[in-house]
Amino acid sequence: MADNAAAHIDRGSINAILNSGEDNNVPNAQPTLQCVQIKPLAAQQGSPERYRVVFSDITNFIQSMLATQANHVVHEGKLKKGCFVRLKQFQSNFVKGKRILIVLDLDVLEELGVCDKIGEPKALDVKTEEDAKPQPTTISSNGFYGTKPQPQQQQQPQKQSFPSRTGGASSASHANIYPIEALSPWAHKWTIKARCTNRSDIKTWHNRNGEGKLFSVNLLDDSGEIKATGFNDQCDMFYELFQEGGVYYVSSPCKVGFAKKQFSNLNNDYELSFENGTIVEKAEEQDDVPQVRYNFTNIGDLQTVEKDSVIDTIGVLKEVGETSQITSKTTSKPYDKRELTLVDNTNYSVRLTIWGNTAASFDVTPESVIAFKGVKVSDFGGRSLSLLSSGSMSIDPDIDEAHKLKGWYDAQGRNDTFANHNSLGGSLGAAGGRNDAVKTINQVKEENLGMSENVDYFTVKATIIYVKQDNVSYPACISEGCNKKVMEINPGEWRCEKCDKSHPKPEHRYIISLNVSDYTGQLWLSCFDDVGRRIMGMSADQLVDLKENDERQAGDAFQEANCQTWIFNCRAKMDNFQDTQRVRYQVTGASAVNFSTESTKLANLIKMYNID
C-alpha cells in the first residue's frame, strides 16, 4: 500500500511552494501530500478550534495550519496521521518569522488508505522573510503561484499613501488578495476584498486622558468575518465611505490585533484597526463576495441556548411595542428601546429588544419577516433577546429561510397560538440555559435525583391531581425586589424587617404544594409565585380575597386547577425537615403542553419502532 500511495505523492512540491521563483517548475497545482502529524492548538476561551498539521512530500515536510473552514475534515475523522491529502487551496505566510502553509481547502484521499510515514523527509531550508520576493498569496487551482512576478524595477522614492475615496477599483489592480481567515498580526502587505455587513454609529468618549470618537464595521468574505475599527481621523475619513452592503478593498498598513471579545460577536480571534496609511477603496465588482452569512437558531430552541450567547435568528414580526427610554447606570445617558415580538414555525414567540436609533427609527410593518444577526440571549423573563450594537437586521431578506417562514405564516401561522419562554425563567436562569432531561416520575425516583450533594434538574410532563389548599401564600413586602415576609403589627400597618419599612398592605405571593401524576407514579412539587399564577389563573391577592369573601368560588378555583397537564421544569435537592432528610422537588417553571410539538415527538417516537 505504501508503494502505491508513494507513487501519488508530488515530490518537490513543498520546495516549489515555499521557495518559488521564476525558474521553478510547479509539479502540480493541487499537490498530493502525506499528513505525518496533526494536533490541536491551545485556543483562547470562546475562540474556534485550530489545528496544526505537518505535511510531507517524502523529500521535505512543512508546518501547516488548517483554516477553521477546513476543520470539518478533522471533526469527521477523515484527516488523521498517515493519511493522504490533495491541497486544493492554500497560501504561505510568515508567522513569527517562519514560513507556514495556511490550508483553506483540501480533500482527504481515503482510497489511498493510511500508512506510516513514507521516507525520511527533512525540514526545508526556506527563504527568510527579508529575502522572500513579493508574491500573490492566494494559491489555488487557478494559479499555483498567482501571476508571474514582474521584473523588479528600480526602487522609487517612497511616497506617503492616503486612503482612496475615488471611483471603484477593480480586482486586476489588487492581485495580492488575502482571505480574511488568513489575516494575523504577522501578515504583511495584504489586501482583503470584503462586504460591509454592518456599520455602527459614531461613538464618542470623554475622560481624563482626553476625548475622541470611533466607529466600527463588520467585513465578510468567503473565508470568514472580521471587525474593523476607525478612531478619530480614520473615523472622519472612512465613516461615510463604508455603506452596509457595499464591497471594498482594504489594504495594509492596517493593524491586526487580538479581538476584544466583549465588544465583538464575530467568530474571529483577530480584529483590524485602521491607521493613517490604510487604503480603503470601493470595489467595482460587487457580486463575487457573499452577502450576510447567518447561522440561525429557531425561537423554539432558545431554551437550549446558554445565557449571554450571541446568535442569529429569524422570525415573523408579530407585535411592535412603543418606544421607551431607560437611563444607563454607567453613563447616566438616556437610551431609546423598543420591544418586538417574533414568532416562527416552532410555534414559539420571543421578545426581542432593539436600541438607540434603530429603536427610534423602526418602521416595519407587522407580519414582515426579519433576520437578525448578532443578538444576545438573556434569561430575563425566561428567554429574551437583545440586538447588539454590532448586530444587524434585514427586512424580508431574499433567502430560503425567509421565504419558508412567509409561506408558513400565510398558510397557517397567522391563526396559530404561540407558546413563549416566559414560564421557563426560573429554571433556565438557575440552570444557565441547560436543556434539562425529560424524565418520567418513576425515573426521577429510581435515578435518585436530588440525593447527591449536587442539585439535579429535570423536566416532567404531569397532570395535577391535588392542590393543597392551606397555606397557599404568604404576605410579602411590596418594596421592589424585596418579597420578604411582612408582619401585621397594627391594623393597616405591615412591617418588613429587611427594608425597615411599614406598608399599608402586603402583596400576597404563592407557596403552593401540588401532587402531580403521570403514567408511572405520583410526586409532590412545591411552587412559588410565578408558577402559582399560571396554575391558578389569578394572583395570590385575588385568591386570598376569594377565600375571605367567597369560599365556594375559591374552592371552584382549586378544582379548575386540577386535572390540568403541564410541562414542569424542576430542581431536586436534599432538604432537612424536622431533623429528617428528604428530597425537595421545586418547580422553577411551568408551561402549557404544546400539542403540535408533542404530536411531532410522538410521531418521531413511533418512527423509531419502524411500524408501517
Side-chain angles (χ1 to χ4, degrees):
M1 178 182 288
D3 292 339
N4 178 54
H8 289 81
I9 293 179
D10 295 304
R11 299 194 186 205
S13 56
I14 291 178
N15 179 60
I17 294 169
L18 300 184
N19 288 328
S20 57
E22 292 184 69
D23 297 331
N24 284 118
N25 294 315
V26 181
N28 193 335
Q30 294 185 347
T32 297
L33 306 172
Q34 184 183 24
C35 170
V36 295
Q37 187 182 79
I38 179 170
K39 61 192 303 185
L41 295 173
Q44 296 179 332
Q45 186 174 5
S47 299
E49 295 176 293
R50 303 302 295 265
Y51 293 93
R52 186 178 67 188
V53 186
V54 178
F55 290 117
S56 163
D57 67 0
I58 301 179
T59 304
N60 299 107
F61 65 82
I62 178 63
Q63 298 274 357
S64 306
M65 183 182 296
L66 287 187
T68 55
Q69 67 202 57
N71 282 352
H72 64 92
V73 295
V74 179
H75 299 156
E76 294 167 2
K78 294 180 179 179
L79 186 64
K80 59 187 72 174
K81 184 177 179 180
C83 73
F84 298 87
V85 302
R86 179 182 295 114
L87 303 188
K88 298 174 64 179
Q89 189 174 10
F90 52 91
Q91 69 175 57
S92 60
N93 268 354
F94 281 104
V95 176
K96 297 182 179 180
K98 294 182 179 180
R99 178 84 83 172
I100 71 166
L101 279 187
I102 295 179
V103 179
L104 303 172
D105 192 14
L106 76 166
D107 286 335
V108 177
L109 306 178
E110 296 179 273
E111 66 274 14
L112 297 183
V114 175
C115 66
D116 293 336
K117 180 178 65 175
I118 299 176
E120 293 296 332
K122 301 183 183 301
L124 188 67
D125 184 14
V126 186
K127 293 182 179 181
T128 64
E129 186 171 5
E130 291 77 14
D131 294 336
K133 297 179 181 179
Q135 296 287 334
T137 56
T138 298
I139 305 172
S140 68
S141 59
N142 294 329
F144 189 62
Y145 284 84
T147 54
K148 185 177 180 180
Q150 298 298 319
Q152 190 170 4
Q153 299 179 355
Q154 184 176 356
Q155 186 173 355
Q156 299 295 325
Q158 184 175 2
K159 296 181 180 179
Q160 186 176 3
S161 58
F162 293 94
S164 170
R165 293 171 180 255
T166 57
S170 67
S171 57
S173 60
H174 292 284
N176 194 25
I177 301 297
Y178 262 56
I180 287 175
E181 175 70 36
L183 291 178
S184 75
W186 305 279
H188 303 291
K189 296 182 181 179
W190 51 261
T191 296
I192 60 172
K193 183 180 182 182
R195 188 179 301 277
C196 174
T197 59
N198 180 69
R199 185 190 69 173
S200 73
D201 295 329
I202 294 177
K203 301 176 183 178
T204 59
W205 75 85
H206 305 269
N207 56 36
R208 63 183 180 181
N209 296 322
E211 59 184 39
K213 55 186 174 181
L214 64 87
F215 84 105
S216 63
V217 292
N218 292 347
L219 302 174
L220 167 76
D221 71 4
D222 284 313
S223 69
E225 287 183 272
I226 195 166
K227 178 183 177 182
T229 304
F231 296 88
N232 299 323
D233 291 344
Q234 285 68 47
C235 182
D236 294 334
M237 289 179 181
F238 298 134
Y239 184 77
E240 294 299 333
L241 178 59
F242 278 107
Q243 299 295 323
E244 291 186 6
V247 177
Y248 301 87
Y249 293 103
V250 180
S251 302
S252 60
C254 183
K255 181 181 178 182
V256 184
F258 287 100
K260 299 178 180 65
K261 293 294 185 179
Q262 67 270 34
F263 302 122
S264 175
N265 62 298
L266 300 184
N267 185 20
N268 199 320
D269 292 338
Y270 305 114
E271 62 186 21
L272 305 178
S273 294
F274 298 132
E275 297 182 340
N276 287 335
T278 302
I279 299 174
V280 178
E281 302 167 280
K282 189 166 185 177
E284 291 179 353
E285 303 92 347
Q286 299 275 312
D287 297 332
D288 58 344
V289 177
Q291 302 289 333
V292 180
R293 181 180 290 125
Y294 294 102
N295 184 20
F296 290 124
T297 298
N298 292 332
I299 295 174
D301 293 335
L302 290 178
Q303 57 185 292
T304 67
V305 179
E306 292 188 5
K307 174 180 177 292
D308 295 329
S309 298
V310 178
I311 64 166
D312 305 335
T313 194
I314 186 170
V316 178
L317 181 63
K318 191 71 172 176
E319 296 176 5
V320 181
E322 296 296 326
T323 304
S324 59
Q325 279 196 338
I326 62 169
T327 301
S328 169
K329 293 180 180 179
T330 55
T331 65
S332 298
K333 293 182 179 179
Y335 285 92
D336 290 321
K337 62 173 289 191
R338 188 192 295 264
E339 292 186 349
L340 314 176
T341 301
L342 301 178
V343 299
D344 70 5
N345 52 6
T346 62
N347 284 99
Y348 268 84
S349 67
V350 69
R351 186 178 70 255
L352 187 149
T353 304
I354 55 178
W355 304 88
N357 293 334
T358 304
S361 60
F362 187 83
D363 185 22
V364 179
T365 305
E367 301 190 354
S368 299
V369 176
I370 309 181
F372 291 90
K373 183 173 182 62
V375 293
K376 188 174 183 179
V377 179
S378 167
D379 61 358
F380 180 76
R383 272 297 181 268
S384 57
L385 303 174
S386 178
L387 181 63
L388 298 175
S389 59
S390 58
S392 62
M393 64 180 181
S394 179
I395 315 302
D396 291 322
D398 186 16
I399 56 177
D400 289 343
E401 293 87 348
H403 299 317
K404 290 177 182 177
L405 270 182
K406 188 65 174 175
W408 158 80
Y409 190 81
D410 290 341
Q412 69 178 79
R414 184 176 285 107
N415 300 316
D416 282 355
T417 56
F418 298 92
N420 58 47
H421 298 282
N422 294 348
S423 60
L424 303 175
S427 171
L428 293 172
R434 273 179 312 275
N435 183 16
D436 301 334
V438 178
K439 303 286 185 182
T440 64
I441 290 175
N442 186 56
Q443 287 174 323
V444 171
K445 294 179 177 179
E446 286 199 346
E447 295 175 15
N448 295 321
L449 297 185
M451 298 288 285
S452 65
E453 294 180 359
N454 299 323
V455 178
D456 291 318
Y457 294 87
F458 63 93
T459 297
V460 62
K461 182 174 71 171
T463 302
I464 298 173
I465 58 175
Y466 180 71
V467 181
K468 201 171 182 180
Q469 298 186 23
D470 56 333
N471 298 323
V472 296
S473 66
Y474 72 95
C477 177
I478 61 176
S479 297
E480 185 177 357
C482 180
N483 298 335
K484 290 295 184 180
K485 186 175 181 179
V486 295
M487 302 294 293
E488 188 176 25
I489 57 177
N490 291 305
E493 185 178 1
W494 296 79
R495 179 73 178 170
C496 177
E497 295 297 333
K498 178 186 177 184
C499 298
D500 195 23
K501 292 180 181 179
S502 294
H503 303 285
K505 64 177 183 178
E507 177 190 24
H508 285 86
R509 296 178 64 84
Y510 282 112
I511 44 169
I512 297 179
S513 292
L514 307 173
N515 190 241
V516 301
S517 174
D518 68 4
Y519 65 95
T520 66
Q522 298 180 12
L523 200 65
W524 279 98
L525 304 176
S526 59
C527 312
F528 291 119
D529 194 61
D530 289 345
V531 176
R533 286 172 178 263
R534 291 181 62 82
I535 289 172
M536 297 304 300
M538 65 181 73
S539 69
D541 280 329
Q542 292 171 309
L543 184 60
V544 169
D545 186 64
L546 280 181
K547 293 183 72 174
E548 291 177 351
N549 298 298
D550 191 339
E551 289 190 5
R552 181 177 178 180
Q553 192 171 351
D556 291 342
F558 283 106
Q559 288 300 321
E560 288 179 10
N562 285 334
C563 300
Q564 300 294 321
T565 301
W566 296 84
I567 306 295
F568 294 102
N569 298 92
C570 306
R571 65 195 298 265
K573 185 180 180 182
M574 188 66 71
D575 193 17
N576 289 313
F577 179 72
Q578 296 180 348
D579 297 326
T580 302
Q581 281 194 329
R582 65 175 186 178
V583 178
R584 185 182 184 191
Y585 303 102
Q586 180 183 326
V587 179
T588 56
S591 58
V593 175
N594 185 322
F595 291 102
S596 175
T597 302
E598 291 298 311
S599 298
T600 301
K601 289 181 180 178
L602 290 173
N604 291 335
L605 187 62
I606 292 171
K607 289 178 182 177
M608 293 174 61
Y609 289 94
N610 296 320
I611 299 176
D612 295 328

